[in-house]
Amino acid sequence: MDRGWGFLIGLLGAVWLLSSGHGEQQPPETAAQRCFCQVSGYLDDCTCDVETIDRFNNYRLFPRLQKLLESDYFRYYKDEVPDGIKSASYKYSEEANNLIEECEQAERLGAVDESLSEETQKAVLQWTKHDDSSDNFCEADDIQSPDAEYVDLLLNPERYTGYKGPDAWKIWNVIYEENCFKPQTIKRPLNPLASGQGKSEENTFYSWLEGLCVEKRAFYRLISGLHASINVHLSARYLLQETWLEKKWGHNITEFQQRFDGILTQGEGPRRLKNLYFLYLIELRALSKVLPFFERPDFQLFTGNKIQDEENKMLLLEILHEIKSFPLHFDENSFFAGDKKEAHKLKEDFRLHFRNISRIMDCVGCFKCRLWGKLQTQGLGTALKILFSEKLIANMPESGPSYEFHLTRQEIVSLFNAFGRISTSVKELENFRNLLQSIH
């Protein structure tokens, strides 16, 4: 009897050890698991899951979208270029100048390549005449400035420039503090400009966020997603090596981990990545809604090259129909569904906040960072404009000018390039996931 009981107790003990992880060595988490284990399944406030987005974006949408964005219509973006940022002698700030070597690198990598061929310069004058003959409105503030000029986005790709540290954080801090409906008493987790933060501040922040209405919560997540997307780009196109002969750009795994590893960021990194996917869904939904505007026979992607313009419009419509076929679109009907007066005020708040964020981007001391920051902010603002204009889009005339709903060339270019940046981020996440698989 005693031997029987001993055997049974020993067996139960062995089962407990196995089930609790004792008695055998558990393999350590890989870096990929720490960054991505929480970035799977369904997203908050959505019926869509991460895996569906990955498959749709990476294999059906991304290649065609990149081809479209390389065309002349989409590669030139008009922006006001401050004189100080045009030359390599520009110094960012007294604080940044203390880091001489880093600052000099940031000057070189952040300077803008303004070169446009003589043929392109003549072409953009033609585009301006064509645009001015249309019924345009909602133009970005600085587009009419005499200092505004077209910039070739392909010659100025978004990538690491060396612009970082206190100055960069101050810009993002002002964006979050002034525009995300957050009271000053609520502290954001992992804010390097705030001291003495702990777990209680994190819990307070997320309790506050969950208590917001769905619209205000979405606004914060959109800004966080935009911030995350930009950080993915900088990590994916990092200056790995520089010699007198060439610069080598590529994936900086350490930089990515510092921004998104679940342990290194105390759980913040995976949340940021989920917000990136949320941003993707919002802009994807806007593109599906705006299809009728681009389907009108009168609309053209005008560059003066009739054959190329027609081919690009066909590609554009092909992409938009592909987007419309996405099976799990974000349901924006939950937005602004309450009291009409309150909903109208909230929409106006959204608009004003995006204009304010665009002005804050003017303070960025690195031209390429400023250029892409403003473009992506305007692109997201245009996406929200589309989502708020569903009835106006439905009532557009099939031909002739559309007075109730209209998109300028600048809005169209920013809308698709901004989505192209997020699409690139989702694609790069797959690359980082593979690179991090074998790292512990």
Side-chain angles (χ1 to χ4, degrees):
M1 180 67 72
D2 291 341
R3 289 179 61 190
W5 276 109
F7 173 78
L8 181 58
I9 291 171
L11 180 62
L12 290 172
V15 170
W16 177 81
L17 284 170
L18 289 172
S19 64
S20 61
H22 297 282
E24 67 174 71
Q25 188 80 23
Q26 292 293 313
E29 273 191 321
T30 65
Q33 288 171 322
R34 292 197 302 273
C35 292
F36 294 105
C37 66
Q38 298 174 42
V39 189
S40 61
Y42 287 96
L43 295 164
D44 300 336
D45 297 325
C46 304
T47 58
C48 187
D49 60 277
V50 167
E51 292 77 13
T52 299
I53 296 173
D54 284 341
R55 287 192 300 271
F56 179 79
N57 178 76
N58 298 351
Y59 302 106
R60 292 172 60 182
L61 203 58
F62 178 79
R64 282 180 285 182
L65 185 59
Q66 294 308 302
K67 181 181 177 182
L68 181 73
L69 296 179
E70 289 171 1
S71 68
D72 283 351
Y73 186 95
F74 288 99
R75 69 184 286 182
Y76 297 105
Y77 180 74
K78 200 173 185 184
D79 193 28
E80 184 176 346
V81 185
D83 289 334
I85 307 178
K86 292 180 182 180
S87 67
S89 63
Y90 179 73
K91 300 292 183 185
Y92 296 120
S93 70
E94 188 175 345
E95 285 180 276
N97 279 332
N98 293 331
L99 305 170
I100 297 173
E101 183 178 346
E102 182 178 295
C103 186
E104 287 179 351
Q105 183 191 50
E107 288 166 5
R108 294 194 310 274
L109 302 180
V112 60
D113 185 337
E114 296 177 82
S115 57
L116 294 182
S117 68
E118 187 176 339
E119 183 182 358
T120 300
Q121 290 178 35
K122 291 178 181 177
V124 296
L125 289 175
Q126 217 181 347
W127 303 351
T128 303
K129 289 178 182 177
H130 176 270
D131 293 343
D132 288 344
S133 67
S134 306
D135 299 286
N136 293 344
F137 60 95
C138 294
E139 196 76 60
D141 291 341
D142 62 359
I143 302 311
Q144 302 297 345
S145 165
D147 295 324
E149 55 192 56
Y150 279 98
V151 178
D152 188 337
L153 298 176
L154 298 186
L155 289 181
N156 294 279
E158 186 183 22
R159 60 190 179 191
Y160 173 79
T161 64
Y163 182 67
K164 56 185 179 180
D167 279 8
W169 270 108
K170 283 176 184 175
I171 294 292
W172 280 107
N173 194 59
V174 173
I175 288 174
Y176 282 113
E177 295 298 317
E178 290 187 4
N179 300 284
C180 290
F181 305 96
K182 186 181 75 61
Q184 290 185 345
T185 54
I186 302 294
K187 306 299 181 185
R188 286 183 296 114
L190 290 188
N191 181 359
L193 301 182
S195 58
Q197 292 194 103
K199 200 71 178 176
S200 60
E201 282 83 358
E202 177 188 329
N203 294 338
T204 301
F205 177 82
Y206 285 106
S207 295
W208 163 80
L209 189 64
E210 289 306 311
L212 290 178
C213 65
V214 65
E215 295 89 352
K216 291 182 179 179
R217 186 165 64 245
F219 193 96
Y220 169 79
R221 295 183 65 195
L222 291 174
I223 300 304
S224 173
L226 175 60
H227 194 182
S229 180
I230 290 172
N231 282 332
V232 170
H233 305 152
L234 304 187
S235 301
R237 301 196 70 175
Y238 202 89
L239 183 61
L240 301 177
Q241 186 179 352
E242 183 177 14
T243 66
W244 66 272
L245 189 62
E246 64 175 352
K247 295 182 179 75
K248 182 181 178 183
W249 303 88
H251 295 84
N252 187 321
I253 296 173
T254 302
E255 189 76 16
F256 182 86
Q257 287 179 275
Q258 288 175 349
R259 297 173 188 273
F260 299 110
D261 186 291
I263 293 177
L264 297 179
T265 63
Q266 300 173 36
E268 274 299 295
R271 286 192 179 104
R272 295 167 182 167
L273 293 180
K274 291 184 81 169
N275 289 339
L276 188 160
Y277 279 99
F278 179 76
L279 172 64
Y280 182 96
L281 283 177
I282 291 291
E283 295 204 10
L284 190 76
R285 181 58 166 166
L287 289 170
S288 74
K289 289 283 187 181
V290 80
L291 175 59
F293 175 81
F294 293 106
E295 281 186 316
R296 293 175 306 135
D298 289 353
F299 176 80
Q300 54 180 317
L301 296 171
F302 181 81
T303 66
N305 184 330
K306 189 173 181 180
I307 295 175
Q308 189 180 73
D309 292 349
E310 289 176 355
E311 289 177 351
N312 285 333
K313 182 175 179 179
M314 286 177 61
L315 178 58
L316 173 71
L317 294 179
E318 180 186 316
I319 289 169
L320 291 177
H321 278 286
E322 185 73 67
I323 289 172
K324 196 170 182 66
S325 73
F326 183 70
L328 295 169
H329 271 295
F330 179 81
D331 182 7
E332 76 283 0
N333 290 325
S334 59
F335 280 5
F336 310 110
D339 180 79
K340 286 187 177 181
K341 189 175 181 181
E342 290 182 10
H344 178 76
K345 182 182 183 306
L346 200 52
K347 285 182 183 180
E348 182 63 12
D349 285 344
F350 269 46
R351 189 182 68 84
L352 293 175
H353 283 221
F354 268 98
R355 290 176 71 87
N356 189 45
I357 292 172
S358 184
R359 291 190 183 99
I360 293 170
M361 289 291 182
D362 285 329
C363 302
V364 173
C366 156
F367 175 72
K368 284 181 184 173
C369 310
R370 175 188 183 276
L371 169 69
W372 284 102
K374 290 201 73 171
L375 182 149
Q376 290 174 81
T377 301
Q378 186 183 14
L380 178 52
T382 303
L384 291 178
K385 169 183 170 178
I386 293 166
L387 291 179
F388 299 162
S389 305
E390 184 173 13
K391 291 182 180 178
L392 299 180
I393 294 172
N395 294 329
M396 282 189 308
E398 291 187 8
S399 61
S402 172
Y403 294 103
E404 293 297 320
F405 178 84
H406 184 75
L407 293 178
T408 65
R409 176 190 293 263
Q410 187 80 350
E411 288 174 315
I412 294 168
V413 171
S414 65
L415 175 69
F416 281 90
N417 272 284
F419 182 70
R421 295 282 73 212
I422 307 163
S423 174
T424 299
S425 291
V426 172
K427 177 66 175 174
E428 289 294 357
L429 290 183
E430 180 181 58
N431 294 332
F432 275 112
R433 190 182 284 111
N434 292 334
L435 289 169
L436 291 166
Q437 286 292 352
S438 59
I439 298 175
H440 293 284

